[in-house]
């Protein structure tokens, strides 16, 4: 007969494992960055909002550039799901943050904040975007961070392309747990 604790074991997916770690262990919450277009379509904002909400439900801290478009949509999703939202702003005023940023950080460094975002995040996820997003993706790769992209994001060699938000969330959880199987596919 198995001990009671072993008999109650069940298989869990990577998101459940990360959620359990956040709830029961003293795990440092290095943020997940959602990067992307400051002017985005309704569909792109919908994906970003779902991504932010999914991250918050697991227990991740969200990091964005703190402004409009994809950044605001991801922030709204995380905020409404009870998550912590950090916004690294390019200017000197914290009041320029979108209303869903819980911790606005006014860097005063302009576009150089893209490097700060990439260095500060455990993982980056791109939704749509242009040159600024491309620089964040490239910085992420340069700093050895896993970088995921939804179909609307620019193509950058070395970035893991995902078809939908669920694939991104599974990839983030696998990266967080140090699993390589999803990252190499």
């Amino acid at each position: 007969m198995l001990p009671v604790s072993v008999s109650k074991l069940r298989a869990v997916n990577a998101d459940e494992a990360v959620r359990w770690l956040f709830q029961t262990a003293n795990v440092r919450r290095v943020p997940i960055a959602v990067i992307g277009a400051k002017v985005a379509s309704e569909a792109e904002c919908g994906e970003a909002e779902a991504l932010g909400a999914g991250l918050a439900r697991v227990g991740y801290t969200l990091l964005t550039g703190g402004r409009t478009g994809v950044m605001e949509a991801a922030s709204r999703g995380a905020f409404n799901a009870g998550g912590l939202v950090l916004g690294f702003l390019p200017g000197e005023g914290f009041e320029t943050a979108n209303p869903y940023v819980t911790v606005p950080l006014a860097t005063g460094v302009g576009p150089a904040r893209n490097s700060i975002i990439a260095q500060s995040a455990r993982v980056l996820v791109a939704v749509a975007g242009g040159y600024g997003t491309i620089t964040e993706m490239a910085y992420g790769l340069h700093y050895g961070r896993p970088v995921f992209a939804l179909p609307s994001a620019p193509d950058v060699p070395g970035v893991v392309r995902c078809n939908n938000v669920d694939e991104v969330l599974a990839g983030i959880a696998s990266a967080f747990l140090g699993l390589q199987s999803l990252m190499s596919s």
Side-chain angles (χ1 to χ4, degrees):
M1 178 184 268
L2 294 172
V4 174
S5 61
V6 174
S7 67
K8 293 187 178 194
L9 291 178
R10 66 178 179 85
V12 298
N13 65 33
D15 276 349
E16 291 171 312
V18 173
R19 188 177 305 113
W20 179 85
L21 283 171
F22 284 146
Q23 292 171 350
T24 61
N26 187 16
V27 177
R28 184 167 285 164
R29 293 179 186 241
V30 178
I32 306 298
V34 174
I35 58 177
K38 62 184 170 189
V39 176
S41 72
E42 187 175 323
E44 293 160 347
C45 287
E47 285 182 324
E49 188 167 351
L51 183 57
L55 292 169
R57 280 193 295 273
V58 172
Y60 297 108
T61 297
L62 175 66
L63 169 61
T64 74
R67 303 294 296 276
T68 62
V70 164
M71 298 169 279
E72 183 169 353
S75 298
R76 180 175 46 250
F79 180 87
N80 288 339
L84 178 63
V85 181
L86 308 175
F88 281 10
L89 302 161
E92 297 177 0
F94 69 87
E95 64 280 345
T96 63
N98 71 62
Y100 306 101
V101 171
T102 45
V103 182
L105 300 163
T107 66
V109 297
R113 84 150 177 335
N114 294 354
S115 177
I116 297 169
I117 289 170
Q119 182 68 48
S120 299
R122 179 177 288 241
V123 174
L124 291 88
V125 182
V127 181
Y131 294 128
T133 306
I134 292 169
T135 63
E136 288 168 311
M137 295 166 81
Y139 279 131
L141 294 170
H142 175 76
Y143 296 135
R145 306 294 191 252
V147 180
F148 296 92
L150 286 168
S152 60
D155 285 322
V156 174
V159 169
V160 178
R161 304 296 299 187
C162 297
N163 293 315
N164 55 52
V165 170
D166 288 337
E167 281 185 25
V168 170
L169 292 171
I172 291 169
S174 293
F176 184 88
L177 294 170
L179 306 174
Q180 296 300 314
S181 61
L182 287 175
M183 301 221 14
S184 60
S185 59

